[in-house]
Amino acid sequence: MGSVMVSYASARAESLIPKCDVGFLRRPERVVLFIIGALSTHPGSNNFFANRMPAVLWVLAVGSYWTFAHRMYHTWRELSRTDAEIENVEAQSSYSQASGERRAEQRLVHKPG
């Protein structure tokens, strides 16, 4: 479930921000871990070194949820930063527009003639 959530969070985030390729366990890392766990597992063995799949699954479960949370936080932070930049641009635009109107009024008042 965590791996699906990581991919879904990335897809939804990239509809809002340019890139959301952050996190500890991205797809290549998850695939490599799963392959290591699959290749090192021997059925019926109780030896830890011959049966790594349970440990790999725990790492995948915790790491996937951690990556999901990190992507959500990254998206939130990027959207907040973008909103602040937009507000800043709007404030500068309204300030320059107001100062332009004042200059136009001053030209009318101080019209030589």
Side-chain angles (χ1 to χ4, degrees):
M1 186 67 171
S3 293
V4 172
M5 288 174 51
V6 169
S7 298
Y8 181 75
S10 178
R12 294 295 293 187
E14 288 178 356
S15 71
L16 301 170
I17 61 175
K19 194 73 172 158
C20 185
D21 193 21
V22 297
F24 178 65
L25 283 180
R26 297 180 309 201
R27 182 173 290 127
E29 289 86 359
R30 292 192 313 263
V31 169
V32 167
L33 272 173
F34 191 75
I35 289 171
I36 289 171
L39 292 177
S40 67
T41 299
H42 302 287
S45 176
N46 290 330
N47 185 354
F48 175 75
F49 295 106
N51 191 12
R52 293 191 183 144
M53 187 55 93
V56 166
L57 290 176
W58 275 107
V59 169
L60 284 172
V62 173
S64 294
Y65 282 103
W66 181 264
T67 303
F68 168 73
H70 187 209
R71 287 187 180 189
M72 294 290 289
Y73 175 72
H74 174 74
T75 304
W76 173 75
R77 190 178 64 210
E78 288 294 314
L79 287 174
S80 297
R81 187 173 61 114
T82 304
D83 289 344
E85 288 175 0
I86 289 171
E87 289 174 3
N88 189 17
V89 167
E90 288 175 353
Q92 288 177 354
S93 174
S94 65
Y95 175 75
S96 64
Q97 186 179 25
S99 64
E101 289 173 358
R102 277 184 267 147
R103 278 186 249 137
E105 289 173 0
Q106 289 173 351
R107 279 188 229 132
L108 290 174
V109 171
H110 299 294
K111 188 174 182 182

